[in-house]
Amino acid sequence: MNFIHQARQSIGHHVKVMTAHDTFTGTLLSVGSDFLVIRVRHNRNEQRLLIRLESIIALSRSEEPTSLEDESSHTASMDDDDLLEQYLLEADDE
């Protein structure tokens, strides 16, 4: 099995995505031929991030957070908004 096939099996699940620059946790929404979309929580807002497959080092399922405070969109400093914005698709209106 290739990476895309394995990643698609995690759609709808809470995942951890490690890239060369950061690690993101959230719900995997979709997997394309060269990207994936993950819903993350940032500053108490849900946002969708587009992450290129070529930048991904590892993808794993993780436990669902039990509260908003338990979930962080990435493990780097939350002050590093410029880094997060390079992945930002659009704010979720849900």
Side-chain angles (χ1 to χ4, degrees):
M1 277 189 222
N2 66 21
F3 180 84
I4 293 173
H5 180 75
Q6 289 283 26
R8 285 183 176 152
Q9 292 182 346
S10 294
I11 291 174
H13 292 276
H14 198 73
V15 297
K16 181 183 287 186
V17 181
M18 183 187 310
T19 70
H21 302 287
D22 211 345
T23 299
F24 302 95
T25 58
T27 303
L28 183 60
L29 300 177
S30 66
V31 179
S33 60
D34 64 347
F35 64 92
L36 59 78
V37 179
I38 184 174
R39 180 184 302 133
V40 299
R41 191 169 308 283
H42 179 65
N43 295 334
R44 298 194 180 265
N45 296 314
E46 286 189 347
Q47 299 176 322
R48 293 184 299 161
L49 303 180
L50 179 82
I51 303 173
R52 294 183 61 138
L53 295 182
E54 69 183 26
S55 69
I56 296 173
I57 296 169
L59 171 76
S60 62
R61 286 191 190 178
S62 61
E63 285 191 30
E64 193 84 33
T66 56
S67 70
L68 295 180
E69 289 77 26
D70 291 344
E71 183 173 357
S72 95
S73 62
H74 60 88
T75 56
S77 165
M78 295 306 279
D79 294 331
D80 196 357
D81 287 336
D82 291 338
L83 179 61
L84 183 62
E85 286 181 14
Q86 73 180 339
Y87 296 98
L88 185 62
L89 264 180
E90 61 188 47
D92 268 349
D93 293 329
E94 299 176 339

